[in-house]
């Protein structure tokens, strides 16, 4: 139920950055646009446990669905969608993040908010609404901004 929504989110972000999505594998192909600040868009699957190959990357995850009947025969669940904007712009020598790197990271975050906030996707039953944003400047060597959007799924 959430996979289709994540595919729609990935397509919207990829289109914004001029990135191609391989139709068979769903892999984001960044080579077509080497100037894109985003190099990949993936479903979150514990990528921090290993080295992330392509950065900046946007990772997506969906929360738990808990359905209630809102009209006879129609069920809806609130849904939290998390986007993690991940950059590797931390100096290894002193742990500092330079202003230019912070601005580039923040620009991707701003783009994600602009694209998703108040956007209605085909597979969701409500607009995406930004609920929270948190930036961690050194999460296992990466700069990570977590964006939480709320929406709903109906069946």
């Amino acid at each position: 139920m959430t996979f289709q929504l994540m595919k729609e989110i990935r397509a919207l972000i990829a289109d914004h950055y001029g990135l191609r999505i391989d139709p068979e594998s769903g892999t984001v192909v960044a080579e077509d646009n080497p100037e894109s600040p985003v190099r990949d868009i993936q479903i979150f699957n514990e990528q921090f446990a290993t080295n992330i190959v392509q950065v900046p990357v946007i990772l997506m995850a969906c929360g738990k669905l808990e359905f209630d009947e809102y009209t006879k025969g129609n069920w809806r669940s609130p849904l939290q969608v998390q986007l993690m904007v991940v950059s590797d712009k931390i100096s290894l020598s002193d742990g500092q993040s330079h202003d230019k790197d912070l601005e580039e990271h923040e620009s991707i975050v701003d783009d994600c908010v602009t694209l998703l906030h108040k956007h209605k996707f085909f597979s969701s039953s409500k607009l995406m609404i930004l609920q929270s944003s948190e930036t961690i400047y050194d999460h296992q060597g990466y700069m990570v901004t977590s964006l939480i959007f709320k929406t709903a799924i109906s069946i």
Side-chain angles (χ1 to χ4, degrees):
M1 282 180 253
T2 59
F3 180 61
Q4 185 59 39
L5 177 60
M6 288 194 284
K7 285 174 57 176
E8 290 178 59
I9 293 168
R10 179 179 58 200
L12 181 67
I13 295 169
D15 184 59
H16 175 77
Y17 285 110
L19 303 173
R20 184 173 57 85
I21 299 172
D22 181 272
E24 288 185 32
S25 67
T27 302
V28 173
V29 180
E31 289 78 24
D32 296 350
N33 186 359
E35 299 300 314
S36 173
V38 173
R39 305 311 299 159
D40 207 349
I41 306 161
Q42 301 176 2
I43 294 172
F44 179 64
N45 188 23
E46 299 300 326
Q47 283 89 337
F48 295 109
T50 61
N51 285 336
I52 299 174
V53 177
Q54 297 269 26
V55 285
V57 62
I58 298 171
L59 304 175
M60 304 176 291
C62 288
K64 182 178 180 180
L65 295 170
E66 294 183 359
F67 289 92
D68 286 319
E69 190 172 25
Y70 67 97
T71 62
K72 186 172 178 138
N74 295 304
W75 296 77
R76 181 170 32 210
S77 173
L79 175 64
Q80 287 191 335
V81 177
Q82 180 181 24
L83 263 64
M84 290 167 271
V85 177
V86 181
S87 301
D88 68 345
K89 304 293 186 170
I90 297 173
S91 170
L92 296 178
S93 61
D94 61 4
Q96 180 179 350
S97 296
H98 299 284
D99 287 356
K100 181 178 182 280
D101 298 329
L102 291 169
E103 288 171 356
E104 289 173 1
H105 179 88
E106 191 70 18
S107 176
I108 297 168
V109 171
D110 291 345
D111 287 346
C112 288
V113 170
T114 300
L115 289 169
L116 298 180
H117 183 64
K118 295 186 178 180
H119 189 90
K120 170 67 172 71
F121 289 96
F122 179 75
S123 58
S124 64
S125 58
K126 288 190 173 183
L127 299 174
M128 297 275 284
I129 302 297
L130 181 64
Q131 187 173 356
S132 68
S133 174
E134 178 183 18
T135 300
I136 300 170
Y137 292 97
D138 186 2
H139 178 73
Q140 299 179 0
Y142 299 98
M143 185 181 342
V144 179
T145 298
S146 172
L147 300 170
I148 305 287
F149 294 88
K150 60 182 179 177
T151 187
I153 299 286
S154 295
I155 55 171

